[in-house]
Amino acid sequence: MQTLRLGSRGQDVRILQQALALHVDGIFGPVTEEAVKFFQTRKSLVADGIVGPNTWAVLDIGQSRRTISKIILHCTATPEGRDFSVEQVRQWHLARGFSDIGYHYLVGRDGTIYAGRPESVVGAHCTGQNTCSIGVSYVGGEEADGSHRPKDTRTHAQKKALRELVASLQKKYPGATVHCHNEFANKACPSFKLCDL
């Protein structure tokens, strides 16, 4: 296997991405680099994001299970009262260079829970936390007037669905802690406090 790093492409990158339970596109981008660093840290290797002989030697090519330690809550940062589909959010994320929608779940205004990325695939929703987390977003999070001011716009149905989804994920991933995106990034997302979940 060749040494891989940010910008590498090809079949070896696909093999690496499969082993790390990433979206397999053969392009060693920032999400792949983050996953490599996380893996290297867990294996007590130098966490430089470069896949050389030492990393290849401990990489289980058959590995496909992620270790989930966090559930991270988001909003779509869209105006109150406006509906957006999972496909629209996917298109926004593709336009930003993502390989798919960044979230694992999206909760519509009517409380419907839509699947995004498969849970087995690393998300693209919270820099530095994607490898070990499940990303959950609700539609909304901003004032209706287009000012982009943060606001908790969750409908009663969204609040109920979010609570149920998070409880279900915590049963599936015992020990996983729940966080708001703003704990890891300088932004208002998800426009509510965790205590208000």
Side-chain angles (χ1 to χ4, degrees):
M1 298 288 193
Q2 64 176 315
T3 297
L4 303 175
R5 59 177 44 89
L6 193 62
S8 296
R9 293 174 177 260
Q11 184 59 30
D12 283 351
V13 176
R14 287 183 180 86
I15 293 168
L16 171 69
Q17 290 171 326
Q18 174 105 22
L20 295 175
L22 300 172
H23 174 76
V24 179
D25 63 5
I27 303 168
F28 196 124
V31 172
T32 301
E33 183 182 49
E34 177 184 323
V36 168
K37 287 179 180 178
F38 181 78
F39 174 80
Q40 290 170 326
T41 300
R42 283 187 22 232
K43 297 296 184 178
S44 300
L45 299 170
V46 175
D48 58 6
I50 298 170
V51 182
N54 292 338
T55 301
W56 280 119
V58 295
L59 194 61
D60 179 0
I61 300 304
Q63 177 183 337
S64 64
R65 183 167 167 81
R66 298 197 307 133
T67 301
I68 302 302
S69 61
K70 295 180 181 77
I71 299 161
I72 302 178
L73 306 175
H74 300 267
C75 66
T76 56
T78 52
E80 180 177 23
R82 293 194 48 202
D83 288 311
F84 294 92
S85 70
V86 70
E87 190 52 40
Q88 285 174 297
V89 177
R90 178 176 281 112
Q91 291 306 314
W92 300 338
H93 289 185
L94 290 171
R96 291 176 56 193
F98 295 6
S99 58
D100 192 1
I101 187 170
Y103 311 120
H104 295 96
Y105 294 98
L106 181 70
V107 180
R109 292 183 60 247
D110 65 356
T112 301
I113 299 170
Y114 298 96
R117 287 189 187 208
E119 289 179 24
S120 61
V121 176
V122 172
H125 57 92
C126 187
T127 302
Q129 303 298 322
N130 290 312
T131 303
C132 62
S133 67
I134 297 292
V136 176
S137 183
Y138 74 95
V139 173
E142 290 188 350
E143 293 275 0
D145 61 9
S147 65
H148 299 293
R149 285 190 312 258
K151 179 181 180 185
D152 182 357
T153 64
R154 293 174 298 156
T155 64
H156 176 73
Q158 280 177 312
K159 289 178 182 180
K160 182 176 185 292
L162 279 168
R163 282 191 301 270
E164 290 173 359
L165 177 57
V166 167
S168 170
L169 290 169
Q170 286 185 299
K171 283 182 184 171
K172 187 172 186 176
Y173 302 106
T177 53
V178 182
H179 303 269
C180 290
H181 186 197
N182 59 24
E183 291 180 48
F184 306 105
N186 187 21
K187 45 181 66 181
C189 180
S191 300
F192 67 85
K193 293 179 182 173
L194 191 57
C195 61
D196 296 327
L197 177 62

